[in-house]
Amino acid sequence: MGRAVLVVSALFFAWYLLFVVACVFARGLMGHRLAGHVNVALVFGILQFAATFVLARRYSRHSRETLDPSAAQVVADATAPERTGRRR
């Protein structure tokens, strides 16, 4: 899981930097109208928001399925009475 998180984070950050650099240095490309008042920069910006929501949703699902049960087990182990009957 750790390597996948690093790869996805690096790709997302690179895509964000591409968006910022293109807005600064490729104004012609970013200002190109695709349909009506919708240009390339607007589409890139909306896709950034969409990607953020998708990544947040996937992490939430991973957390709920993998991390929460592990955390609950750690809490249960920490609060369970020891075998001798004493509490920690």
Side-chain angles (χ1 to χ4, degrees):
M1 173 65 190
R3 183 180 171 117
V5 169
L6 289 175
V7 170
V8 170
S9 296
L11 288 173
F12 184 78
F13 187 66
W15 184 27
Y16 174 75
L17 285 178
L18 173 68
F19 174 60
V20 172
V21 169
C23 284
V24 172
F25 295 109
R27 289 182 173 214
L29 171 68
M30 298 305 272
H32 178 75
R33 290 184 184 234
L34 299 174
H37 294 290
V38 178
N39 61 14
V40 174
L42 182 63
V43 171
F44 261 72
I46 291 171
L47 289 175
Q48 285 288 328
F49 279 105
T52 300
F53 287 120
V54 167
L55 288 175
R57 177 71 179 140
R58 290 198 60 185
Y59 179 76
S60 175
R61 186 177 347 130
H62 167 73
S63 177
R64 185 176 55 253
E65 294 173 357
T66 305
L67 302 177
D68 290 349
S70 298
Q73 184 61 45
V74 168
V75 170
D77 290 347
T79 58
E82 294 183 21
R83 292 183 186 260
T84 59
R86 294 180 292 149
R87 291 191 65 86
R88 291 183 183 184

